[in-house]
Amino acid sequence: MVEPDIRCHADVSALVDAVARIIAERIAQRVRERGSCRLALAGGGTPRPIYERLAQADLAGTIDWARVQVFWGDERCVGPDNETSNYRMAYTALLAHVPVTETNVHRIEGERGPAAAARRYAKTLGDQPLDLLLLGMGSDGHTASLFPGTPDLATAERVIPTRSPVAPVDRVSISLRAINGAREVYLLVSGADKAERLAEVLQQIESGEPTLPAARVQPRSGLLYWLIDATVAQYLAPLKL
Ligand code: 6PG
């Protein structure tokens, strides 16, 4: 098991600023080392202010955006203009404000339907590892669009259609195989409503019996960072932090 590196920040705004700085620094480092960076963005609400912070000149200006390939960890099966689209959230919060090359933005075409979109995205994603993968966690312990009830979480596929217990139901998600093949994984967790589940996830990791999708995020590189704030850490006090 990868021992989670948990980094706790005083509050949401401290978390937002710290994560945006880490992402900027890691992208720049990857571009320096490899000439490019394959970045996969998370959806949901937690990353939006982080993307907005990353789009600010003091951070965005440190990145050679022409060398950044942008992917997503998951998407709802809706069009890019739909208000629930993860692409739309990241576009309005970040990508519309930085000089990323349009052909380097690889969105999941959810409007094609789960199976067709997953097949197509598997080709787009290819076999190359992601350099930087951002993930969130739901209060049920899901991550990306891999839910506790998702069948065959151990699939060899890199991208799969899934079904969410909450609308929008039809989803496309990178698999645990693709997640655990990423070079660096950042799990962002904020909000007291997730504290209990995060404790359960960390217990599962510690016991070596991970069943919840978020607990099965175990990158083979070993570079796994849980970035949380006090709304969650407070609850986790009993655990060694
Ligand atoms: C999605 C996400 C999902 C998200 C969690 C947490 O499409 O919904 O990719 O995995 O990260 O549901 O969502 P919040 O950040 O909104 O709590």
Side-chain angles (χ1 to χ4, degrees):
M1 285 287 124
V2 177
E3 181 70 24
D5 179 333
I6 303 172
R7 310 218 172 153
C8 169
H9 297 275
D11 54 30
V12 176
S13 62
L15 178 70
V16 163
D17 187 65
V19 177
R21 288 177 185 283
I22 290 168
I23 298 168
E25 195 276 325
R26 299 309 300 147
I27 294 173
Q29 172 93 12
R30 282 289 164 186
V31 168
R32 276 195 301 274
E33 285 169 0
R34 298 165 178 278
S36 67
C37 179
R38 288 165 56 90
L39 167 69
L41 301 175
T46 303
R48 176 191 287 274
I50 293 166
Y51 299 158
E52 289 165 349
R53 176 71 187 90
L54 184 58
Q56 293 173 357
D58 63 321
L59 295 182
T62 66
I63 296 169
D64 181 354
W65 288 98
R67 296 179 172 278
V68 180
Q69 302 277 337
V70 183
F71 298 88
W72 276 260
D74 70 320
E75 184 60 283
R76 295 88 183 269
C77 287
V78 296
D81 302 323
N82 185 288
E83 61 182 18
T84 66
S85 158
N86 286 339
Y87 163 80
R88 181 166 179 263
M89 182 276 282
Y91 182 80
T92 51
L94 172 63
L95 302 175
H97 313 288
V98 295
V100 70
T101 308
E102 208 175 312
T103 50
N104 289 350
V105 176
H106 311 288
R107 79 177 175 87
I108 299 174
E109 298 171 353
E111 67 273 22
R112 291 173 177 274
R119 273 195 307 277
R120 191 178 179 91
Y121 205 63
K123 292 199 183 84
T124 304
L125 187 64
D127 292 332
Q128 231 192 310
L130 294 163
D131 293 308
L132 236 60
L133 169 60
L134 309 183
L135 293 170
M137 187 194 85
S139 55
D140 61 353
H142 81 260
T143 191
S145 277
L146 303 175
F147 298 90
T150 297
D152 195 16
L153 279 173
T155 177
E157 299 295 330
R158 290 170 56 81
V159 182
I160 53 174
T162 67
R163 290 180 64 77
S164 163
V166 295
V169 171
D170 285 324
R171 306 286 185 103
V172 172
S173 185
I174 63 172
S175 66
L176 282 174
R177 180 172 178 217
I179 288 173
N180 292 333
R183 292 198 170 92
E184 292 177 39
V185 180
Y186 295 86
L187 257 154
L188 319 175
V189 188
S190 170
D193 64 319
K194 298 176 183 175
E196 197 175 337
R197 192 66 68 193
L198 181 60
E200 184 183 357
V201 165
L202 295 176
Q203 293 290 6
Q204 289 190 357
I205 295 171
E206 203 156 328
S207 67
E209 290 156 13
T211 56
L212 289 167
R216 297 177 70 174
V217 175
Q218 295 282 325
R220 291 184 289 282
S221 69
L223 298 177
L224 170 63
Y225 306 95
W226 288 83
L227 302 171
I228 65 176
D229 63 23
T231 58
V232 172
Q234 215 172 91
Y235 193 87
L236 295 180
L239 285 171
K240 65 176 176 22
L241 269 185

